[in-house]
Amino acid sequence: FGTNFVRELLKDTKPKNVDEIVKVSGLSHGTDVWLGNAQDLVLGRNFVSEPIPFSEVIGCRDDIMVYLMYKGLEPSDAFKIMEAVRKKDKQPSEEQIQLMRDHNVPEWYIKSCLKIQYMFPKAHATAYVIMALRIGWFKVHRPIYYYAAYFSCRACAFDVDVFSAGKNAIRNKINEINAKKEAKTVEKRELDLLDELAIALEMCLRGYSFKQVDINK
């Protein structure tokens, strides 16, 4: 999924703690987990009349097993249902669905399970979040290391003349590319540069700057 998808996901869910950020990571990597499923639950659309708290919807495959055990199912049954939900070519059987109903699992939860095509493991989602939190810490507390690493390793486009000319030149270039986008004359390399220009502008506004290339350094 792209940046816009994650931005909208965060806007809808408003995560309040690390556990909910991990859930966002799981939702953004699953198939038929958020769109047309958990999103409708959180926003109170489709098959529920009242919104379901974000903390209660399914985000990672492990959530299913833990929740079903909490509802009183045997660990082996909870595990088998989780496996049936998270695999694309399987679904919970009628017997498993009835078992959930016998243990007072809400109907919205069962329907959510039946919509899921693939689910991310919680350990994998957590690893992504830990990495993101580390990157975020550097961006806040050691910004120059963050920007140096980003533009050395991650930037997919670079305009040394514009970057080194400072914030006004960067703003002008952003406006120029956005105008081309509106006119539908923008090129792929300019679109790639647009995200990097935004980060370069952010860096300059935080008091840092680019130097022009120096052949002696």
Side-chain angles (χ1 to χ4, degrees), residues 12 22 50 56 66 70 88 117 125 137 142 164 179 188:
D12 287 339
V22 170
E50 295 294 328
E56 295 181 23
V66 173
Y70 170 77
K88 188 173 183 180
Q117 293 295 307
W137 186 90
R142 300 288 188 275
S164 61
K188 170 72 166 58

Side-chain angles (χ1 to χ4, degrees), residues 38-104:
Q39 182 184 42
D40 295 334
L41 293 168
V42 170
L43 300 180
R45 300 191 308 214
N46 283 357
F47 53 84
V48 288
S49 56
E50 295 294 328
I52 301 298
F54 178 57
S55 60
E56 295 181 23
V57 301
I58 305 167
C60 301
R61 66 178 69 160
D62 314 53
D63 295 342
I64 299 169
M65 186 176 75
V66 173
Y67 175 76
L68 294 179
M69 289 170 61
Y70 170 77
K71 296 296 283 185
L73 275 77
E74 289 294 322
S76 59
D77 290 323
F79 175 77
K80 287 173 184 174
I81 291 171
M82 175 193 73
E83 287 293 281
V85 171
R86 67 104 175 169
K87 291 180 178 177
K88 188 173 183 180
D89 58 344
K90 293 185 69 177
Q91 271 200 333
S93 65
E94 288 298 325
E95 291 79 8
Q96 289 173 326
I97 293 170
Q98 188 57 51
L99 186 60
M100 287 192 279
R101 287 179 176 142
D102 291 343
H103 286 80
N104 299 315

Side-chain angles (χ1 to χ4, degrees), residues 5-14 24 27-28 34:
F5 171 84
V6 176
R7 188 181 293 119
E8 291 301 314
L9 200 165
L10 289 169
K11 190 185 299 181
D12 287 339
T13 57
K14 299 178 177 61
V24 167
L27 289 168
S28 67
W34 174 245

Side-chain angles (χ1 to χ4, degrees), residues 157-165 170 173 189 193 196-197 210:
F158 207 89
D159 188 325
V160 66
D161 292 324
V162 173
F163 284 10
S164 61
I170 296 171
K173 190 67 176 180
R189 62 181 178 79
L193 183 61
E196 315 309 346
L197 286 164
F210 294 89

